[in-house]
Amino acid sequence: MNTLNLNSNLPIFPLPVFLLPGGITRLRIFEQRYLKMIQIASKGSGFVIVSTKTHVDKESAVTTQDNEWGSWVDIVNFDQGDDGVLEVDVKCKNLVELLSIDKDEDNLHFSDVKITPHWSHIDTETENIALFHSLVSVFEQSPLLDRLYKNDMTANTHWVIARWLEILPVSLEVKTLLSKSDSFQTAQDFVHSIVFSAKKS
Amino acid sequence: MIKHHPKFQLIQGFVNGELPASLSAGIAIHADLCSECRQQISLLTEQLSYASFEEVTVDKYSVSDSGKQDNVNPLYFEQAIAAITKSNDIDIIEPKIEKNIIFKNHVYSLPFVLHNMVLGKTANIGKLARARIQLDENEIHSSLLHIEPGGSVPEHTHNGFELTVLIAGQFSDKEGEYVPGDFIMLDKKHPHHPVSEKGCLCFTVANDSLHFTQGISKILNPIGAFIY
Amino acid sequence: MHIASICLPNDPINATSIRMPNKINHTELCEWLTAVATHRDKQAFTHLFQFFSPKIQRIAKIKVNTDARASEVVQETMGNVWRKAHLFDGNKGAVTTWVYTIMRNVTFDMLRKVKSNREDTLSDDIWSLAESQNIQEDDFTDHLANNNLRSVIDDLPENQQQVIKAYYFMEMSQDQLAVHLNLPLGTIKSRLRLALGKLKAQLGESHD
């Protein structure tokens, strides 16, 4: 077995949210087993957000689906919300394929994972200034996004396209298509044709 | 207002007791002046104590009991408890006394965390003065660095990391001006050139000597080993 | 994929190391510690010792490697508990948090002795006990909020506890996108439709 890029026994957080490497989101955690997950994850190895449909909603067996994937995230900050609920900011570091899933007595799931390459993980030399400016103005209207990304802002093409994909109002299934490692050109065209008018036919 | 704070991972390492004494001291100096980070530290301490004592999380390496309370030899308990309780002495916490440090003619109040650390002799070059803090952490060096008004450190980068916590006074670089409490962690991607108009005292930690980037400063390279 | 319990019943390590969480009786711990502080109550101290020492032994073992050193951490930590009990203030935090900080400090000083061969005890200066009480004073309200929160969650019906709320700040609505791009909603909808059609065509070509 190839042990490269393998990581064992990471906790799983089922949530329909699309997050590519570099993406940051804030989670509110209050269920006991997920508080436990945060305790485990904060020891350094993070956890995996799994957004695919076959998420953990049944007590027992769940159907099989090929290539289940997730966003492996690190905790970058946490705080208590005004209502006392734990708020955790997480940043995606890799997309991963889930290999084998197991659960403990609290019904918290764990999986061994394998890192799958994705274009958004790689810095490019190129910048996409037009989409960057547009993205900045979206962030400016959202105080939270603005705060989460304040130290990360870059016009790097991959980064800008990845952030646009995350915030566009299209279904998770569509976004998942663009989570493939070779999808960069397609993703860029896609974002362009929505944000700017589809001039080129 | 303090604008530069330790990253979450550092605070976590601090609360866990996993950082070297030098970096821990840097965070303590910062937290003394920063209520935001103090709050985060106490929240995280509470969470970690909860994780440690309250809930037994997945621990692959401890093949312990099978669901019962941890079982330890009762005889061991008795002896251990007797050894502790045979004396009824209690620890008295002595009130903190201000401790000052003088560089040239400037008197500074020494941060509490440094009170019991051993300081080496002060060395001077121009407007810079440095006293090593003897923590014996191998390649990691900690110092107090004093810059007299109008002094500066030549532009440099670093092969490892370089932490500067401003204790008193002010200095600035191209990122802006810093105030006491600012926690500035740099790596080799960030060349910088701190200048202090009014003078300042800093706590510095670095794990390698500096690397000067400006042409003329190369001649001054020995200063790198001097400062950090 | 199979999310069910492929739970390795034959694996003794996994089977035994995941244990039920122990519900802690914080009030009781607090009473014991107060009895130690005010009456030097050895029976109460014995209870504290029985509660904490196996846990400290296990946690310390991971950090200091040997059983002998871990036992030293236990002895030193519990010795501190005995000698410093009068410094604990139950209004300012849980006993578990207080003992955790003592254990962390003892471990830190021991590791420094092992690694740097230094006999100094810097931990009390770095995480000053007296100071941490002050710090907790600032955060008194937060601490309460945290405890309240746990009890509130525990009281929720099971199905409500299962609900996970997430912030969906990430994704814009079609309306928001329209406002942002300064275009009518209809235009946004048709752009999305076009883009999706094109995407499917593209992916159809390359993934057949």
Side-chain angles (χ1 to χ4, degrees):
Chain A
M1 190 174 67
N2 175 19
T3 51
L4 262 182
N5 294 331
L6 278 180
N7 284 275
S8 60
N9 230 25
L10 299 174
I12 289 176
F13 190 60
L15 184 75
V17 77
F18 183 77
L19 208 57
L20 290 172
I24 305 175
T25 191
R26 176 166 293 179
L27 306 170
R28 286 162 63 77
I29 309 279
F30 58 84
E31 202 184 333
Q32 195 58 49
R33 59 177 152 161
Y34 295 116
L35 288 170
K36 173 176 162 183
M37 174 188 80
I38 295 299
Q39 284 157 9
I40 297 169
S42 65
K43 287 181 181 149
S45 52
F47 60 94
V48 181
I49 297 178
V50 176
S51 63
T52 37
K53 271 186 169 171
T54 52
H55 66 81
V56 198
D57 55 2
K58 291 250 165 68
E59 283 296 310
S60 53
V62 181
T63 50
T64 303
Q65 182 182 321
D66 286 335
N67 288 333
E68 180 120 27
W69 65 282
S71 306
W72 185 10
V73 299
D74 274 333
I75 298 171
V76 291
N77 207 346
F78 77 97
D79 212 335
Q80 241 167 357
D82 296 335
D83 52 1
V85 172
L86 179 66
E87 297 181 349
V88 179
D89 296 345
V90 296
K91 182 173 180 177
C92 176
K93 54 179 173 182
N94 280 112
L95 295 186
V96 292
E97 189 185 326
L98 307 190
L99 300 175
S100 68
I101 299 185
D102 199 357
K103 66 173 178 177
D104 70 3
E105 79 284 351
D106 291 331
N107 215 14
L108 175 62
H109 288 68
F110 293 83
S111 179
D112 294 343
V113 305
K114 187 176 130 209
I115 293 174
T116 54
H118 191 258
W119 48 264
S120 57
H121 197 239
I122 306 155
D123 280 352
T124 45
E125 296 291 312
T126 59
E127 295 190 335
N128 192 324
I129 300 297
L131 279 178
F132 174 68
H133 285 313
S134 192
L135 188 67
V136 167
S137 69
V138 173
F139 283 10
E140 276 167 358
Q141 282 161 30
S142 160
L144 181 79
L145 281 176
D146 208 34
R147 218 165 38 244
L148 290 178
Y149 284 113
K150 69 170 185 258
N151 296 323
D152 290 43
M153 295 301 290
T154 160
N156 182 293
T157 303
H158 284 174
W159 193 86
V160 172
I161 298 291
R163 301 294 80 75
W164 263 115
L165 277 183
E166 286 164 356
I167 61 173
L168 279 177
V170 294
S171 73
L172 210 53
E173 285 80 4
V174 170
K175 291 183 181 187
T176 300
L177 292 175
L178 297 169
S179 67
K180 302 276 187 292
S181 63
D182 57 357
S183 63
F184 173 68
Q185 197 52 49
T186 318
Q188 174 159 275
D189 290 349
F190 181 70
V191 174
H192 261 273
S193 63
I194 292 172
V195 177
F196 307 113
S197 72
K199 275 178 205 146
K200 43 178 188 175
S201 57
Chain B
M1 207 186 84
I2 297 175
K3 276 189 286 196
H4 304 268
H5 305 270
K7 279 190 174 163
F8 178 70
Q9 281 87 344
L10 272 184
I11 290 191
Q12 197 172 36
F14 173 78
V15 171
N16 257 323
E18 285 162 351
L19 297 182
S22 48
L23 289 178
S24 300
I27 291 177
I29 294 171
H30 170 80
D32 245 0
L33 297 166
C34 175
S35 64
E36 206 177 299
C37 288
R38 269 207 307 278
Q39 179 142 348
Q40 211 182 28
I41 286 166
S42 76
L43 191 57
L44 192 51
T45 307
E46 203 182 322
Q47 298 242 333
L48 280 171
S49 65
Y50 178 81
S52 303
F53 295 134
E54 202 130 355
E55 228 171 309
V56 181
T57 47
V58 183
D59 179 7
K60 282 187 140 186
Y61 306 103
S62 76
V63 186
S64 59
D65 47 54
S66 43
K68 287 185 292 176
Q69 279 296 315
D70 305 83
N71 38 28
V72 178
N73 182 356
L75 193 64
Y76 158 74
F77 266 30
E78 263 176 47
Q79 288 170 347
I81 292 167
I84 290 170
T85 56
K86 70 171 184 272
S87 160
N88 262 336
D89 293 350
I90 59 170
D91 284 2
I92 306 294
I93 299 277
E94 292 180 13
K96 290 183 221 169
I97 302 161
E98 281 282 300
K99 229 174 153 176
N100 291 331
I101 185 161
I102 301 172
F103 280 97
K104 295 283 168 69
N105 296 318
H106 308 271
V107 182
Y108 297 95
S109 166
L110 194 65
F112 181 74
V113 64
L114 306 179
H115 279 201
N116 293 308
M117 294 184 181
V118 182
L119 289 181
K121 259 204 272 175
T122 305
N124 296 284
I125 288 189
K127 293 189 168 177
L128 304 175
R130 181 217 70 193
R132 275 255 196 275
I133 301 170
Q134 284 160 4
L135 290 171
D136 289 352
E137 295 185 308
N138 300 321
E139 78 285 0
I140 300 176
H141 293 151
S142 309
S143 312
L144 282 173
L145 176 68
H146 182 251
I147 307 180
E148 281 192 79
S152 69
V153 181
E155 174 158 306
H156 60 280
T157 59
H158 213 276
N159 291 329
F161 68 83
E162 174 197 318
L163 168 68
T164 306
V165 185
L166 186 53
I167 296 172
Q170 64 73 238
F171 74 84
S172 51
D173 63 17
K174 64 175 193 290
E175 301 289 319
E177 181 154 336
Y178 300 94
V179 300
D182 267 331
F183 186 98
I184 308 134
M185 180 65 101
L186 298 171
D187 60 25
K188 66 178 167 193
K189 278 188 275 185
H190 301 93
H192 78 145
H193 172 50
V195 179
S196 182
E197 269 171 51
K198 296 169 192 157
C200 66
L201 179 65
C202 302
F203 173 75
T204 67
V205 184
N207 66 346
D208 194 7
S209 60
L210 285 80
H211 193 75
F212 287 92
T213 48
Q214 280 172 352
I216 194 152
S217 307
K218 291 218 176 195
I219 305 161
L220 294 171
N221 222 350
I223 215 175
F226 165 78
I227 300 166
Y228 290 94
Chain C
M1 209 272 327
H2 191 218
I3 290 197
S5 38
I6 322 164
C7 66
L8 312 171
N10 295 324
D11 182 345
I13 296 175
N14 268 324
T16 59
S17 64
I18 303 171
R19 306 180 314 144
M20 290 305 287
N22 303 314
K23 280 272 178 241
I24 287 186
N25 188 336
H26 287 284
T27 319
E28 195 175 51
L29 287 178
C30 199
E31 282 164 7
W32 288 335
L33 190 55
T34 309
V36 170
T38 54
H39 302 105
R40 311 306 280 153
D41 185 331
K42 289 188 186 177
Q43 189 55 43
F45 183 74
T46 304
H47 288 311
L48 288 170
F49 196 96
Q50 283 167 340
F51 177 84
F52 282 111
S53 66
K55 298 180 172 68
I56 296 172
Q57 177 84 28
R58 193 173 49 232
I59 295 163
K61 174 75 191 294
I62 297 165
K63 296 206 172 185
V64 300
N65 286 325
T66 68
D67 280 319
R69 279 198 212 119
S71 298
E72 243 182 278
V73 172
V74 171
Q75 202 67 7
E76 188 64 27
T77 303
M78 294 313 293
N80 270 293
V81 169
W82 176 250
R83 293 191 309 274
K84 292 189 162 84
H86 62 289
L87 298 172
F88 172 76
D89 181 346
N91 290 322
K92 292 176 181 168
V95 174
T96 44
T97 306
W98 188 70
V99 174
Y100 171 83
T101 59
I102 294 175
M103 170 185 74
R104 188 252 335 264
N105 290 8
V106 166
T107 310
F108 181 87
D109 287 330
M110 180 180 293
L111 284 177
R112 237 181 100 64
K113 197 153 70 177
V114 173
K115 284 182 192 157
S116 298
N117 202 20
R118 297 287 295 221
E119 291 277 351
D120 48 14
T121 50
L122 297 175
S123 65
D124 282 350
D125 288 346
I126 293 172
W127 298 279
S128 158
L129 259 189
E131 205 161 66
S132 72
Q133 296 264 322
N134 292 337
I135 289 167
Q136 287 181 354
E137 208 156 348
D138 297 346
D139 304 329
F140 192 34
T141 46
D142 263 1
H143 174 69
L144 276 185
N146 200 26
N147 280 353
N148 283 341
L149 173 69
R150 288 219 182 91
S151 61
V152 169
I153 292 171
D154 286 345
D155 291 338
L156 284 175
E158 179 68 13
N159 63 338
Q160 283 182 36
Q161 287 192 32
Q162 305 271 328
V163 178
I164 307 148
K165 275 191 188 168
Y167 274 129
Y168 276 95
F169 292 113
M170 304 288 299
E171 196 167 290
M172 315 167 87
S173 65
Q174 294 189 357
D175 295 347
Q176 283 170 323
L177 186 60
V179 170
H180 174 69
L181 297 177
N182 198 18
L183 290 166
L185 185 58
T187 310
I188 290 299
K189 285 183 192 286
S190 67
R191 269 195 198 179
L192 282 167
R193 222 176 11 249
L194 271 172
L196 290 172
K198 206 165 133 199
L199 179 68
K200 279 179 185 143
Q202 273 175 342
L203 291 175
E205 283 160 23
S206 55
H207 287 267
D208 260 352

